[in-house]
Amino acid sequence: RIGIAAAKGLAAPKNLPCAAVSTLYSMAYSFADTDCIICAVMDARCNQVYNAIFNIEGGEITRLCEDRAILCEDLAEELKKVSQNTNKCVIIVGDGTEVFYPFAKDIKGVKKSGENNRYQNAVSVGLAATEIFHSGKAVSPEELLPTYLRLPQAERELKKKNEVNV
């Protein structure tokens, strides 16, 4: 949110185009020179991760699913299917690696990324943004908004409380 506010503040006076870069997508750019499957995970707590899966082949990054919040058990089941349909290594990246890996450690071809390229970085965000600009998918500062993959904890608790009281 802070980064988006800063980008909007810098771009708005001259109505410069902005690139909305998914953190999960940017993580895949650290492996753009490796033919593999990237399983990007960020810790969402409560046995969940924010996740997206990408196929990388010949430097091309192809999204296999949209960014989402998913239970670790459900993601592990999905990765089993992905790994059965490829000979590529499936690399888990992101700050949710240690949370998610125990669910996937026995799946064929799945491994944790090394510490040096596990997290998003400015270079990978810049490369993803460059692709967005070149593909004509930049947006105006007004259109640049954060994407929330699930309701905040307080809203989930209130919703749960209201459902019980109905």
Side-chain angles (χ1 to χ4, degrees), residues 74-95:
D74 294 343
L75 179 55
E77 286 302 314
E78 188 174 327
L79 277 188
K80 282 180 191 174
K81 294 174 188 169
V82 169
S83 71
Q84 290 171 350
N85 294 324
T86 186
N87 290 328
K88 293 181 180 178
C89 181
V90 178
I91 305 172
I92 302 170
V93 303
D95 70 14

Side-chain angles (χ1 to χ4, degrees), residues 19-91:
V21 177
S22 158
T23 301
L24 296 165
Y25 184 61
S26 74
M27 287 185 225
Y29 268 88
S30 294
F31 298 87
D33 60 351
T34 305
D35 285 358
C36 62
I37 303 291
I38 293 296
C39 177
V41 291
M42 296 174 65
D43 188 3
R45 297 193 168 67
C46 303
N47 256 359
Q48 287 188 334
V49 289
Y50 300 114
N51 164 257
I53 302 173
F54 305 92
N55 180 49
I56 302 177
E57 192 162 323
E60 293 286 323
I61 300 172
T62 305
R63 185 181 279 280
L64 299 181
C65 68
E66 292 302 314
D67 293 0
R68 63 208 172 157
I70 186 170
L71 287 168
C72 291
E73 295 89 354
D74 294 343
L75 179 55
E77 286 302 314
E78 188 174 327
L79 277 188
K80 282 180 191 174
K81 294 174 188 169
V82 169
S83 71
Q84 290 171 350
N85 294 324
T86 186
N87 290 328
K88 293 181 180 178
C89 181
V90 178
I91 305 172

